[in-house]
Amino acid sequence: MSTSMMKALNQSLRDALTEDEKVVLLGEDIGTLGGVFRITDGLKAEFGEHRVVDTPLAESGIVGSAIGLAYRGYRPVVEIQFDGFTYPAFDQLVSQLAKLHFRSRGRVKMPVTVRIPYGGGIGSPEHHSESPEAYFSHTAGLRVFAPSSVEDAYVMLRQAIDCDDPVIFFEPKRRYHEKAEVELRAPEKTGSPKAKVLNVGEDVTVVGYGPTVYTLKDAVLAAEDEGISLEIIDLRCLDPLDLDTVAESVKRTGKLVVVHEASRTSGIGAEICAQITETCFDYLEHAPIRVTGFDIPYPPSRLESHHLPDLDKVMHAVDTVMRRNETHTGGAK
């Protein structure tokens, strides 16, 4: 059937609520309004206000309440309205939620899913278009999921809710309305999803996740016009990283480009480039290259098209690792 990512996420939550009475949803305006992006539309009417809870506008309190519910055996799913609103809950997320399982020597499980719409490209004001994933992938005790497709949005959210570890679940909000022909099926097992090869190629390995994956798919066609074969890898999970899939590809292509919207310095791309350089140094024909956002606060909406990685920046990086350019500025810094 044809469905959007927004509806796939809604169905994933509905199915989780139906199958497990311990699943509860918490967030600002998620009940009567159905959330800012209407991801939870209709769920309060179907399951009641005791399971789809409209909370006060206090992100720290929302996450703190979810931690308390998890202590009592529930599986809370928290919605943070926008990426930039995550920071008021940062202490609860990294100081409490991430550490309670370790601190209790495994006696306390924290099956909390924190849904965060993230990334730019929708013309929003400040605090509404950020990419804070590196903060959480750096935090031991958290899993970090980042789906890019309609099917993965459904399946990976089910995996997150079923997981006994806390999961930060990043949703590429500018892809909410894009549709695909998919059959929504529950995952066969829980755990963290592995990276997925979306296009098999021979010349350059290009890695991305979330909102950038659609740009990488466009790059496949642009590269073909230039006689270049790209292998596209969707990471899907940012912690733990499935670098085995990336390394296997790089050992064949000898070249690596990593793309993400977040700032360049100390980003996910830096970690991937470092680890691939360590493990695949003898196979690399060119230093890995990152295509990222600038190291600046997210710009005003009229300038965001200059900030975000686009097809031209990705193709410039591809040309560089193919040694078609003599110099490279990273497309972002």
Side-chain angles (χ1 to χ4, degrees):
M1 66 176 181
S2 177
T3 191
S4 65
M5 181 179 288
M6 178 180 69
K7 291 183 178 179
L9 290 165
N10 179 274
Q11 188 61 49
S12 189
L13 293 170
R14 176 176 285 103
D15 290 346
L17 286 162
T18 300
E19 294 177 15
D20 188 349
E21 65 180 10
K22 292 296 186 179
V23 174
V24 293
L25 312 185
L26 298 87
E28 300 164 5
D29 299 321
I30 68 167
T32 303
L33 181 63
V36 170
F37 296 101
R38 306 300 187 266
I39 304 300
T40 55
D41 189 40
L43 298 181
K44 179 182 177 181
E46 188 171 346
F47 296 96
E49 61 182 12
H50 64 294
R51 297 194 63 197
V52 182
V53 182
D54 278 320
T55 66
L57 274 66
E59 286 78 12
S60 181
I62 295 169
V63 176
S65 298
I67 291 171
L69 286 165
Y71 261 117
R72 299 301 299 268
Y74 288 89
R75 291 186 174 272
V77 182
V78 168
E79 176 178 298
I80 303 295
Q81 281 190 341
F82 285 92
D83 36 51
F85 300 171
T86 307
Y87 306 123
F90 196 77
D91 182 60
Q92 291 282 14
L93 291 168
V94 304
S95 299
Q96 306 302 329
L97 182 62
K99 295 177 174 60
L100 282 166
H101 183 74
F102 183 84
R103 189 185 298 152
S104 66
R105 297 187 179 182
R107 290 189 293 271
V108 175
K109 293 182 172 60
M110 281 286 125
V112 178
T113 300
V114 181
R115 296 179 41 247
I116 304 175
Y118 81 118
I122 65 169
S124 287
E126 192 176 20
H127 307 309
H128 292 70
S129 300
E130 300 185 21
S131 299
E133 59 268 25
Y135 291 122
F136 301 108
S137 65
H138 181 73
T139 303
L142 298 175
R143 301 196 194 202
V144 182
F145 292 5
S148 68
S149 69
V150 173
E151 181 179 15
D152 277 351
Y154 176 86
V155 171
M156 289 170 60
L157 184 54
R158 292 296 305 276
Q159 288 177 312
I161 295 170
D162 290 342
C163 183
D164 285 337
D165 295 331
V167 177
I168 307 299
F169 194 85
F170 282 105
E171 301 169 5
K173 56 179 174 282
R174 65 170 154 147
R175 307 300 184 190
Y176 273 154
H177 296 285
E178 294 185 10
K179 294 184 177 181
E181 291 286 339
V182 295
E183 185 175 352
L184 302 180
R185 296 179 179 178
E188 295 181 358
K189 59 182 179 179
T190 59
S192 298
K194 298 293 186 180
K196 182 187 293 185
V197 178
L198 301 182
N199 189 76
V200 177
E202 301 298 328
D203 295 325
V204 182
T205 300
V206 186
V207 176
Y209 55 89
T212 65
V213 170
Y214 285 76
T215 304
L216 304 191
K217 290 179 179 179
D218 291 339
V220 171
L221 300 178
E224 285 179 354
D225 290 340
E226 298 182 14
I228 301 173
S229 174
L230 300 185
E231 179 139 304
I232 304 300
I233 297 177
D234 180 359
L235 287 176
R236 303 170 79 220
C237 184
L238 307 182
D239 191 357
L241 277 170
D242 174 18
L243 286 178
D244 289 342
T245 298
V246 179
E248 182 181 343
S249 175
V250 170
K251 287 176 181 178
R252 288 188 294 100
T253 66
K255 295 171 281 292
L256 174 65
V257 173
V258 185
V259 184
H260 58 67
E261 288 188 13
S263 300
R264 177 182 178 89
T265 300
S266 302
I268 300 294
E271 179 62 27
I272 295 169
C273 290
Q275 290 204 39
I276 291 300
T277 300
E278 290 174 359
T279 58
C280 302
F281 184 79
D282 291 339
Y283 296 88
L284 288 168
E285 300 172 13
H286 192 285
I289 288 179
R290 292 164 287 167
V291 182
T292 71
F294 291 97
D295 286 344
I296 59 172
Y298 197 86
S301 58
R302 289 186 179 183
L303 298 176
E304 67 179 349
S305 62
H306 301 287
H307 175 76
L308 297 172
D310 59 14
L311 181 59
D312 287 341
K313 293 175 183 176
V314 172
M315 289 307 301
H316 182 71
V318 168
D319 286 341
T320 299
V321 296
M322 291 291 293
R323 299 186 183 278
R324 297 190 175 194
N325 299 325
E326 292 190 6
T327 58
H328 176 67
T329 61
K333 187 176 180 181

